[in-house]
Amino acid sequence: MPDKKVLLETKHLKKFFHTPGGELHAVDDVSIQIPQGETLGVVGESGCGKSTLGRTILRLLEPTSGEVIYDGQDILKASKNDMRRLRTRMQIIFQDPYASLNPRMTVSETIAQPMLVNGICSKKDVEKRVMELMDTVGLAARLYNAYPHELDGGRRQRIGIARALSLDPQFIVCDEPVSALDVSIQAQILNLLMDLQEERGLTYMFITHNLSVVKHISNEIMVMYLGQCIEKADSKELFRSPLHPYTQALLDAIPLPRLAHGGEKPRQSIKGEIVSPIDPAPGCRFAPRCPKATAKCTQRDVPLRSISDNHQVACVLFDE
Amino acid sequence: MDEKMLEIKDLSVEYTTDEEVVKAVNRVSLSLGRGETIGLVGETGAGKTTLALTLMRLLPKVSGRVTGGQILFDGQDLLQLPEPEMRTIRGEKISMIFQDPMTSLNPVLTVGDQIGEALDLHMELTKEEKEQRIDEILRLVGIDENRKKDYPHQFSGGMKQRVVIAMALACEPELLLADEPTTALDVTIQAQILNMMQDLKHKISTSIILITHDLGIVAEICDKVAIMYAGEIIEYGTAADIYESKDRHPYTVGLFGSIPNLEVESRRLNPIDGLMPDPTALPQGCKFHPRCPRCMEICKTVQPPECVDGSHMIRCHLFNREQPSE
């Protein structure tokens, strides 16, 4: 059986920011492969670098080093014109449905803009195309001339999705697309994203801090901590058998919507705060907070190791 | 002696603007005893924050109006109190934690000063006593007392929320209103804050009204639950009633159903169709009927009665034993 084609790949991707205090390691040596038609979930807490990763892959931020290979082409070497063409294939849905829409543009103007700017549609054809897109994402036709402030978060997010789809992309970075929404609207939007993926063979990088959501939509999941990938596995496998202590703590921390009847042991919350990503010391960055840390953890950097075909982890507990 | 500390009776609140009237809270009743925690659950627009603001008498002066009902706190109707008296209650007997800790702290005052403000306003303490109290409360919320001269921007999101909680607890209030206290926080920090709130329940018996849309958090720390929809409480009961009873309001069933379940394999999620109704144009009869998978004819025209079974109340015609439900 032929392997699925890899649509997006990164190799040792790094993005550092200069600060007066030193180098901020936002994304630190991340290598991923996303097969066409599949979803890579990227999970982690605030400051882990997941949004920066998404933006760097799209060259919305210029990487510090490493490679981003899209459909076989190293996009970091692409010229401005090449990038413009590539960008029609690679789109992004932003987290904040309130901040990511121009408040002075109507629904139709927002959705039409990418098509007009890229010259793929004439002004007279664009109306039809906008109506089709609105229908696809479940926005009522009567909202054609509405402004964002007249609409709730769920509808605004649908505008963002329609806009991302307008250029008929192959790859979409979904940056926390449902975090700002109510639970039942989240469910509607997630179903929409999954349906679109099935119908159009879309490839997603789905960034979120919400583990329940990511399990649903991802084929593979990568857990990030302070810029590094600390565990990567097939979605079911990660939940069945989380290996890294941080992943375990993350899963443990999710409050489940059912009553515990005293039989369950009280959860261990992770102590302390995240250390600074500026000029981090060598070794595991989670060690200061890890309940299983030993001296070995901070002696040298801990690389990602394959435990099985579909599971990798960066932790001394799994050194041979 | 089981006099309820808080009794909200038939409360209705509106916002009026030039163009329309927004019926935000519609005849809500609930009660809370000392040391109890109640989860007020509902989606955006249900009226939860409006209810909390009304309790604190912090509604916007121009547009917000209480159109009926009472709020009895320790036997006194808060709605009838003159503002100077209300000010002695606000911050001292009833405190509130607002949703976004990033924006509820004053960036130009140290953390210690902000906690101290509440003490200055409500308590007669000497300088030493005040400093001691600040240290004590910082310890209570898990912040190193040496940080009291730091400014909010020097703290992370989770720490800021602890500062907000410390401010709210400075005067040991009887009732704490927490409006989505962990929504803006990462899940591991949320776990720390929830553990801390559990601890507080035991240490200082504060009653808590926890406003949230997260049914997981409610399961962790709430004794009672009230589900709000379109300004009404449509289901109410103990945590066991809401999580384990086989009788539940169709909206509650829908809410539980739309949460992606970590423990169950399923391909698609089950959202509730549609959206919460526009509060300027509420439907006739049961406010949920246009979205209800079990809607009957009577639901479209007649407001459902409160159907009570022990501690469990469901506002739904399906559970009305007075009449046959077909």
Side-chain angles (χ1 to χ4, degrees), chain B residues 157-201:
Chain B
M159 299 288 270
K160 280 191 248 213
Q161 194 57 309
R162 289 169 193 263
V163 170
V164 170
I165 294 173
M167 284 165 66
L169 295 176
C171 302
E172 282 199 8
E174 292 172 39
L175 174 62
L176 181 65
L177 304 177
D179 191 352
E180 308 254 18
T182 57
T183 304
L185 304 175
D186 283 326
V187 75
T188 53
I189 307 299
Q190 175 175 268
Q192 288 178 358
I193 301 282
L194 289 178
N195 281 351
M196 185 194 70
M197 286 177 85
Q198 281 282 43
D199 238 11
L200 289 173
K201 266 176 75 169

Side-chain angles (χ1 to χ4, degrees), chain A residues 45-46 155 182-185 187-188 191 195 198 212 215-216 239 254-255 257-258 261 267 269-270 272-273, chain B residues 43-44 156 186-188 191-192 195 216 219-220 243-244 258 260 262-263 265-269 271-272 274-275:
Chain A
E45 297 182 299
S46 308
R155 288 200 177 93
D182 277 328
V183 128
S184 77
I185 312 293
Q188 290 175 8
N191 278 352
D195 286 343
E198 235 182 77
S212 340
K215 180 188 188 198
H216 230 88
F239 281 86
I254 304 172
R258 56 171 170 70
H261 286 289
R267 84 149 79 78
S269 52
I270 314 182
E273 298 278 317
Chain B
E43 299 184 283
T44 311
S156 67
D186 283 326
V187 75
T188 53
Q192 288 178 358
N195 281 351
E220 290 243 337
Y243 284 84
E244 297 178 341
S258 54
L262 274 185
E263 299 174 310
E265 281 301 318
S266 66
R267 213 237 134 223
R268 278 184 125 252
L269 297 170
I272 312 173
L275 293 173

Side-chain angles (χ1 to χ4, degrees), chain A residues 198-252:
Chain A
E198 235 182 77
E199 286 159 29
R200 300 172 178 222
L202 291 171
T203 305
Y204 292 145
M205 171 180 277
F206 196 95
I207 299 171
T208 181
H209 64 264
N210 186 330
L211 282 138
S212 340
V213 156
V214 84
K215 180 188 188 198
H216 230 88
I217 198 167
S218 311
N219 301 91
E220 195 186 20
I221 299 177
M222 172 169 83
V223 182
M224 282 185 76
Y225 189 82
L226 276 180
Q228 295 178 318
C229 168
I230 52 106
E231 189 161 1
K232 199 194 312 176
D234 174 273
S235 185
K236 288 200 184 69
E237 168 70 11
L238 188 79
F239 281 86
R240 201 182 55 79
S241 170
L243 297 176
H244 197 287
Y246 176 65
T247 311
Q248 290 171 349
L250 215 50
L251 287 172
D252 228 22

Side-chain angles (χ1 to χ4, degrees), chain A residues 50-309:
Chain A
K50 52 194 196 297
S51 288
T52 306
L53 176 65
R55 286 163 196 235
T56 306
I57 285 173
L58 295 178
R59 278 185 79 181
L60 291 173
L61 295 169
E62 287 296 332
T64 303
S65 69
E67 292 169 56
V68 178
I69 300 167
Y70 182 80
D71 207 1
Q73 180 182 2
D74 182 350
I75 70 168
L76 300 181
K77 299 200 168 72
S79 66
K80 249 176 110 174
N81 280 329
D82 283 344
M83 262 328 286
R84 207 178 271 141
R85 268 192 293 273
L86 275 168
R87 287 233 168 80
T88 65
R89 320 269 79 212
M90 307 164 80
Q91 289 287 304
I92 183 166
I93 300 169
F94 295 98
Q95 170 175 4
D96 188 341
Y98 297 81
S100 57
L101 297 175
N102 186 328
R104 303 174 75 188
M105 287 169 69
T106 62
V107 168
S108 59
E109 285 168 352
T110 297
I111 300 174
Q113 191 182 37
M115 294 188 277
L116 294 173
V117 160
N118 282 283
I120 68 165
C121 204
S122 65
K123 278 214 170 113
K124 68 179 177 56
D125 293 330
V126 87
E127 180 175 333
K128 182 158 166 287
R129 184 91 178 102
V130 168
M131 297 286 289
E132 275 169 13
L133 285 163
M134 286 175 67
D135 188 50
T136 302
V137 303
L139 279 170
R142 65 186 165 80
L143 300 175
Y144 192 85
N145 289 318
Y147 284 92
H149 72 267
E150 299 176 75
L151 305 174
D152 66 280
R155 288 200 177 93
R156 288 187 215 202
Q157 201 56 303
R158 288 174 197 265
I159 301 173
I161 296 172
R163 177 176 60 185
L165 289 175
S166 62
L167 297 178
D168 216 1
Q170 294 173 305
F171 174 66
I172 307 185
V173 172
C174 307
D175 191 355
E176 305 247 29
V178 296
S179 307
L181 306 175
D182 277 328
V183 128
S184 77
I185 312 293
Q186 276 192 27
Q188 290 175 8
I189 301 291
L190 284 172
N191 278 352
L192 171 62
L193 288 173
M194 290 192 289
D195 286 343
L196 287 169
Q197 181 172 48
E198 235 182 77
E199 286 159 29
R200 300 172 178 222
L202 291 171
T203 305
Y204 292 145
M205 171 180 277
F206 196 95
I207 299 171
T208 181
H209 64 264
N210 186 330
L211 282 138
S212 340
V213 156
V214 84
K215 180 188 188 198
H216 230 88
I217 198 167
S218 311
N219 301 91
E220 195 186 20
I221 299 177
M222 172 169 83
V223 182
M224 282 185 76
Y225 189 82
L226 276 180
Q228 295 178 318
C229 168
I230 52 106
E231 189 161 1
K232 199 194 312 176
D234 174 273
S235 185
K236 288 200 184 69
E237 168 70 11
L238 188 79
F239 281 86
R240 201 182 55 79
S241 170
L243 297 176
H244 197 287
Y246 176 65
T247 311
Q248 290 171 349
L250 215 50
L251 287 172
D252 228 22
I254 304 172
L256 293 171
R258 56 171 170 70
L259 299 181
H261 286 289
E264 297 179 17
K265 63 173 166 50
R267 84 149 79 78
Q268 292 255 26
S269 52
I270 314 182
K271 307 245 176 313
E273 298 278 317
I274 223 168
V275 301
S276 170
I278 298 180
D279 291 336
C284 174
R285 295 176 190 173
F286 184 60
R289 301 169 79 195
C290 183
K292 300 186 184 163
T294 61
K296 247 181 116 186
C297 302
T298 45
Q299 278 165 3
R300 49 170 182 75
D301 282 338
V302 185
L304 210 52
R305 235 178 257 292
S306 281
I307 303 300
S308 68
D309 252 353

